[in-house]
């Protein structure tokens, strides 16, 4: 089985130096749990960040050279078609650039492969991939998809292997020209980032300090129901009924 | 009680007399605050005894009660439903609405859609997978129910692509959450539409989003497909809208992807979940003495156990279980507090929980006030009753 990990031209969030994105390194660790044959794929001008990923457990890196600002999609699709891997893994967002997280989806569409988002665990049996997707609030969802498939990796996946300089040195980089795909100049204007205040919905804008404190600590809904001194059995029944009405507790078995 | 704040400049501007070059104001107009104001001159005039040159006042009250000047306090109108009959364009919204209830981000999304629609006489159309409550109050004009049979997001994206082609909305907004973000990207890849992902501010003319590890802000007119980051827009606060259900657009969805064999939700072990991720938290305070019983109850309910600081300080529960300002701030939808007084530091941790259930011996505890259902009883006796009831139901 062959796995291919998509690498971006990542930048370290603090220092700004070339560094692969965290989820891409986790993708390498996940892929190595399935197979020994894990290669990296990067399309772009400078493979400095992708090269560091070699030290985290990649044996080989394919670099498709592109001029600055070109769309990597055709080169990636062509490289994947040529390498014919069974599984392609990608990070959640690129480590730099626009960080829309759109490339894996566009690739899956172009290749006609199924895509499983936010994966935290992978197993393969008989050409069927079993992937566990992480959802908010700790929920998990299991997908069974036929290979070949594309997955994106969630930060809750197992941690990446640490960097080993010997591996990074011995790793092999295959350099080939990519398919030029100039993009029609970015329609979006760019400026230095300015953090915006989060808008807190519960306290209306311009409310007094007392009202904002109240909104932060008191319930928004209508006043609650109070039961004074019920017997424990009555209390238990009322609580269970209430929890079921809210939908946090499954309906009682035998009743619907 | 607090009064709304007066803006004297605006009040004066409302009384400006049109015409003359010099600014002049109508001074007889009643104050806009609606509070009655005494006019001592009028009162004196009413008491004045007629026919004498010297000022004499009749204070015996024979003149009868003074007729109050009529001030038209704007009658508080009953909430009327706003109807947008002939919209100039559509703004479609695809809320996550887990379990048929609007999540906070969904409300913010509808608020943003309202702003976009109201900028030019448009209407907000919700594309829902399954029944969703409270859409009218959240600002939706129309609802289109789409087929929600499969939980397969690629099938849903296909349904959205059909709706997008048929309705030709000016904007389609999705939440930048796990589900909504995935759907938006599938839709963008499928239709080739440009996606403005994770907008942090959104108006009809300008949207901004962070890029390059939050070093760059990208800005531009919002394209058709936009996902909205959490807490970037206020929910709709105005009059409710009609939320009229209309028929789904015709169109044949392509067959689901043959590569996808099955998708199923896995059961989660609630007690192994980190508190910050948990959806249902049961928490013990100083009023609880039997912690074995408490943990058994948490297991029986399938809730994640938490505790107040008093309990964690005493070493009865691990520090990781502490809820509150110096512990974990919960994102749970339901919080069940046993024997917790509800100190402000504790309540801050519960601020984002939608529902609270409390058991406390003290009727005047702050937690009881915060709770949707409060039981004034001994928690040590309610816990075994709950466990007994749950096991009895399980055996039935
Ligand atoms: C800087 C600072 C930070 C803090 N941060 C936190 C924090 O993050 N989290 C936190 O929880 N606290 C925090 N605290 C502590 C907080 O102020 C309170 O002291 C604490 O929350 C009280 O915990 P409690 O409600 O369990 O105990 P108590 O205040 O003692 O309340 C016990 C409650 O149980 C009820 N009760 C008693 N017996 C029974 C019974 N048999 N059945 C039912 N009810 C019963 C009582 O009526 C009472 O309401 C902080 C304090 C400070 C100063």
């Amino acid at each position: 089985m062959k796995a291919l990990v998509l690498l971006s031209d990542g930048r370290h969030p603090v220092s700004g130096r070339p560094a692969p994105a965290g989820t891409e390194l986790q993708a390498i660790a996940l892929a190595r749990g399935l197979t020994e044959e894990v290669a990296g794929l990067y399309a772009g001008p400078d493979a400095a960040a992708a090269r560091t990923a070699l030290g985290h457990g990649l044996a080989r890196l394919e670099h498709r050279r592109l001029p600055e600002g070109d769309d990597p999609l055709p080169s990636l699709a062509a490289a994947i078609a040529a390498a014919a891997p069974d599984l392609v893994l990608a990070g959640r967002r690129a480590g730099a650039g626009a960080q829309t997280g759109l490339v894996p989806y566009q690739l899956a569409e172009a290749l006609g492969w199924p895509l499983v988002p936010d994966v935290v665990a992978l197993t393969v049996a008989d050409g069927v991939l079993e992937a566990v997707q992480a959802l908010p609030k700790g929920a998990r969802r299991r997908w069974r998809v036929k290979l070949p498939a594309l997955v994106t990796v969630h930060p809750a996946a197992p941690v990446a292997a640490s960097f080993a300089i010997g591996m990074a040195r011995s790793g092999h980089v295959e350099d080939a020209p990519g398919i030029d795909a100039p993009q029609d100049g970015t329609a979006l204007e760019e400026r230095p980032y300015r953090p915006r205040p989060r808008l807190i919905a519960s306290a209306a804008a311009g409310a007094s300090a007392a009202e904002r404190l109240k909104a932060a600590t008191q319930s928004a809904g209508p006043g609650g129901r109070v039961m004074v001194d019920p017997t424990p059995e009555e209390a238990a029944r009322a609580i269970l009924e209430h929890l079921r009405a809210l939908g946090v507790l499954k309906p009682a078995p035998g009743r619907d | 009680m607090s009064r709304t704040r007066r803006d004297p400049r605006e009040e004066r501007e409302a009384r400006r007399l049109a015409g003359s070059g010099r600014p002049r104001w109508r001074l007889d107009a009643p104050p806009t605050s609606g509070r009655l104001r005494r006019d001592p001159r009028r009162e004196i005039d009413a008491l004045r005894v007629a026919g004498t040159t010297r000022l004499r006042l009749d204070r015996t009250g024979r003149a009868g009660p003074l007729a109050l000047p009529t001030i038209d306090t704007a009658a508080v109108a009953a909430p009327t439903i706003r109807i947008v009959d002939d919209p100039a364009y559509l703004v479609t919204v695809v809320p996550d609405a887990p379990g048929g209830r609007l999540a906070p981000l969904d409300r913010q999304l509808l608020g943003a859609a309202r702003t976009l629609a109201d900028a030019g006489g448009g209407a907000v159309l919700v594309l829902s997978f399954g029944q969703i409550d409270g859409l009218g109050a959240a600002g939706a004009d129309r609802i289109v129910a789409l087929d929600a049979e499969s939980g397969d997001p690629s099938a849903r994206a296909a349904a959205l692509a059909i709706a997008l082609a048929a309705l030709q909305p000016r904007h389609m907004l999705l939440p930048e959450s796990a589900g909504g973000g995935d759907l938006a990207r599938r839709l963008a890849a499928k239709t080739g539409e440009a996606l403005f992902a994770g907008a942090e501010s959104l108006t009809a003319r300008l949207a901004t989003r962070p890029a390059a590890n939050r070093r760059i802000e990208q800005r531009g007119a919002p394209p058709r497909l936009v996902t909205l980051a959490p807490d970037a827009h206020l929910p709709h606060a105005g009059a409710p809208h009609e939320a009229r259900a209309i028929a789904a657009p015709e169109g044949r969805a392509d067959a689901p992807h043959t590569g996808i064999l099955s998708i199923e939700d896995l059961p989660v072990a609630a007690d192994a979940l980190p508190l910050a991720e948990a959806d249902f938290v049961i928490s013990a305070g100083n009023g609880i003495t039997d912690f074995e019983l408490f943990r058994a109850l948490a297991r029986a309910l399938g809730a994640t156990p938490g505790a107040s600081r008093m309990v964690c300080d005493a070493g009865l529960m691990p520090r990781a279980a502490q809820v509150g300002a110096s512990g974990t701030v919960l994102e749970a939808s339901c919080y069940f507090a046993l024997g917790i007084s509800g100190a402000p530091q504790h309540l801050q941790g519960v601020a984002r929980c939608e529902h609270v259930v409390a058991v406390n011996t003290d009727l005047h505890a702050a937690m009881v006030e915060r709770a949707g259902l409060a039981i004034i009883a001994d928690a040590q006796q309610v816990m075994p009753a709950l466990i007994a009831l749950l096991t009895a139901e399980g055996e039935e």
Side-chain angles (χ1 to χ4, degrees):
Chain A
M1 193 188 136
K2 252 166 78 179
L4 202 59
V5 177
L6 301 184
L7 297 167
S8 64
D9 185 18
R11 293 282 178 272
H12 191 273
V14 178
S15 72
R17 293 172 55 177
T23 46
E24 289 165 7
L25 300 182
Q26 289 177 300
I28 297 174
L30 268 184
R32 277 172 57 93
L34 294 177
T35 165
E36 279 301 300
E37 222 183 313
V38 184
L41 173 60
Y42 165 69
D46 177 19
R51 240 172 237 273
T52 9
L54 285 173
H56 292 273
L58 277 184
R60 211 158 52 80
L61 171 68
E62 288 182 36
H63 178 197
R64 295 283 180 272
R65 243 176 304 114
L66 284 178
E68 180 84 50
D70 265 25
D71 186 4
L73 206 64
S75 311
L76 291 177
I80 292 172
D86 299 293
L87 181 64
V88 174
L89 300 100
R92 205 157 185 260
R93 300 279 182 277
Q99 295 182 319
T100 52
L102 207 52
V103 168
Y105 289 87
Q106 288 171 335
L107 267 180
E109 192 66 34
L111 297 164
W113 291 6
L115 180 140
V116 185
D118 291 341
V119 158
V120 290
L122 292 172
T123 46
V124 172
D126 304 332
V128 173
L129 174 78
E130 216 177 86
V132 178
Q133 179 194 359
L135 294 171
K137 307 215 159 160
R140 297 283 183 265
R141 184 177 283 169
R142 183 165 54 213
W143 293 59
R144 292 179 64 245
V145 295
K146 272 198 223 137
L147 293 175
L150 217 149
V151 302
T152 68
V153 175
H154 192 266
V159 289
S162 52
F163 180 78
I165 190 143
M167 276 192 101
R169 287 261 175 96
S170 62
H172 178 62
V173 181
E174 271 168 39
D175 206 338
I179 301 167
D180 288 3
Q183 281 168 309
D184 43 344
T186 47
L188 295 174
E189 186 195 337
E190 295 196 341
R191 291 196 183 174
Y193 182 69
R194 180 167 66 89
R196 287 165 192 279
R198 298 186 128 216
L199 299 177
I200 310 294
S202 43
S208 72
E211 274 163 6
R212 274 182 282 129
L213 177 68
K214 211 170 154 195
T217 53
Q218 234 126 93
S219 81
R225 187 156 70 98
V226 180
M227 288 174 79
V228 180
D229 278 333
T231 64
E233 286 69 33
E234 271 172 22
R237 217 164 294 121
I239 291 171
L240 289 190
E241 257 170 36
H242 186 73
L243 291 179
R244 289 202 169 110
L246 298 180
V248 289
L249 205 61
K250 282 189 204 70
R255 231 186 300 156
D256 198 50
Chain B
M1 202 191 87
S2 70
R3 258 184 286 136
T4 49
R5 198 157 174 166
R6 285 182 51 194
D7 183 352
R9 281 176 206 82
E10 197 181 306
E11 284 173 14
R12 196 176 61 175
E13 221 29 58
R15 294 202 302 263
R16 182 190 277 273
L17 288 174
S20 67
R22 200 162 60 88
R24 292 180 62 227
W25 284 276
R26 196 158 40 89
L27 293 177
D28 59 330
T32 46
S33 79
R35 268 200 314 159
L36 291 186
R37 191 156 179 173
R38 283 187 57 198
D39 184 349
R41 282 178 204 82
R42 259 172 51 85
E43 285 173 14
I44 295 287
D45 275 348
L47 296 182
R48 191 189 282 272
V49 177
T52 54
T53 45
R54 241 183 76 211
L55 174 71
R56 284 188 61 215
L57 302 176
D58 178 8
R59 292 196 190 270
T60 56
R62 259 174 294 169
L66 185 65
L68 290 174
T70 51
I71 297 172
D72 53 336
T73 43
V76 183
T80 46
I81 291 181
R82 234 188 96 197
I83 296 178
V84 182
D85 246 336
D86 191 20
Y89 55 91
L90 289 176
V91 178
T92 51
V93 173
V94 188
D96 274 341
R101 266 175 226 155
L102 288 176
L105 179 53
D106 294 335
R107 291 184 192 282
Q108 294 160 11
L109 195 67
L110 276 156
R114 235 359 318 145
T115 328
L116 292 181
D118 289 344
V124 174
L125 185 144
V126 171
L127 294 168
S128 74
F129 295 99
Q131 171 79 30
I132 304 177
D133 302 334
L135 281 174
D141 294 308
R142 309 272 191 281
I143 302 175
V144 170
L146 296 176
D147 189 13
E149 261 172 50
S150 75
D152 178 3
S154 56
R156 292 191 170 189
L160 287 183
I162 290 169
L164 195 67
L167 300 168
Q168 287 297 329
R170 185 176 286 186
H171 298 289
M172 183 178 258
L173 309 185
L174 289 101
E176 181 64 40
S177 57
D182 178 47
L183 208 54
R185 287 173 178 83
R186 282 179 199 272
L187 184 61
K190 197 174 187 65
T191 57
E193 241 2 290
L195 171 69
F196 197 88
E200 285 195 334
S201 74
L202 181 59
T203 60
R205 272 202 238 121
L206 183 72
T208 66
R209 65 177 297 270
N213 297 321
R214 296 189 174 268
R215 284 163 178 257
I216 291 175
E217 178 180 276
Q218 295 183 326
R219 41 171 47 219
R224 184 177 285 184
L225 210 52
V226 178
T227 63
L228 187 73
D231 294 341
H233 202 285
L234 287 179
H236 172 63
H241 284 248
E242 66 174 329
R244 192 199 317 158
I246 58 173
E250 293 287 321
R252 210 171 52 82
D254 21 346
H257 200 292
T258 49
I260 297 175
L261 303 176
S262 72
I263 301 174
E264 57 186 321
D265 286 337
L266 296 178
V268 275
D271 42 356
L273 268 184
L275 265 186
E277 278 191 33
D279 191 39
F280 177 24
V281 175
I282 177 168
S283 203
N286 214 10
I288 299 294
T289 47
D290 187 349
F291 282 85
E292 273 315 307
L293 196 62
F294 169 71
R295 288 199 190 88
L297 176 60
R299 267 194 302 279
L301 283 172
T304 309
S308 78
R309 181 162 170 174
M310 295 292 267
V311 171
C312 295
D313 281 354
L316 296 165
M317 289 283 284
R319 181 62 76 194
Q322 181 179 322
V323 173
S326 47
T328 308
V329 176
L330 301 181
E331 295 286 336
S333 68
C334 183
Y335 184 68
F336 186 5
L338 290 160
I340 296 182
S341 58
Q345 294 92 349
H346 188 84
L347 286 180
Q348 277 172 32
V350 195
R352 309 189 74 144
C353 298
E354 198 179 339
H355 308 287
V356 174
V357 179
V359 178
N360 201 310
T361 44
D362 178 6
L363 177 58
H364 305 288
M367 192 49 101
V368 169
E369 200 180 319
R370 169 72 171 79
L373 171 67
I375 308 282
I376 310 303
D378 188 347
Q380 283 298 135
Q381 284 164 19
V382 173
M383 285 199 296
L386 268 171
I387 294 178
L389 194 57
L390 282 167
T391 40
E393 279 176 355
E395 279 161 10
E396 255 173 36

